[in-house]
Amino acid sequence: MITGTLPTLKRSEAKDLIQNAGGKVTSAVSTKTDYLVVGEDAGSKLEKAKELGITQLTESQFLELL
């Protein structure tokens, strides 16, 4: 799951990287969400992730994880 504007990646590029690594990109945060990649101007998805205790990653942390 991705929210906000990422510094160097387009959202479609990040989505492709996640899927190529075997992950799934969803449109809503839920208890089944493992990670949220957070960019600038993140909105309600970030708040929901915080409420659910979901791990939030910056773009650089996301790229390291891959």
Side-chain angles (χ1 to χ4, degrees):
M1 165 132 303
I2 306 159
T3 189
T5 304
L6 300 177
T8 64
L9 291 174
K10 294 179 183 175
R11 188 177 295 261
S12 61
E13 293 171 326
K15 182 178 177 180
D16 288 344
L17 288 171
I18 292 167
Q19 291 173 333
N20 290 339
K24 182 178 176 184
V25 180
T26 60
S27 60
V29 176
S30 74
T31 56
K32 294 182 181 182
T33 303
D34 293 317
Y35 300 102
L36 178 66
V37 181
V38 180
E40 286 189 42
D41 299 322
S44 60
K45 289 179 185 176
L46 177 57
E47 294 306 315
K48 182 73 172 179
K50 287 179 180 178
E51 288 174 19
L52 296 175
I54 293 168
T55 302
Q56 298 131 44
L57 302 172
T58 63
E59 180 184 293
S60 60
Q61 290 170 323
F62 163 66
L63 292 172
E64 284 180 33
L65 185 63
L66 290 177

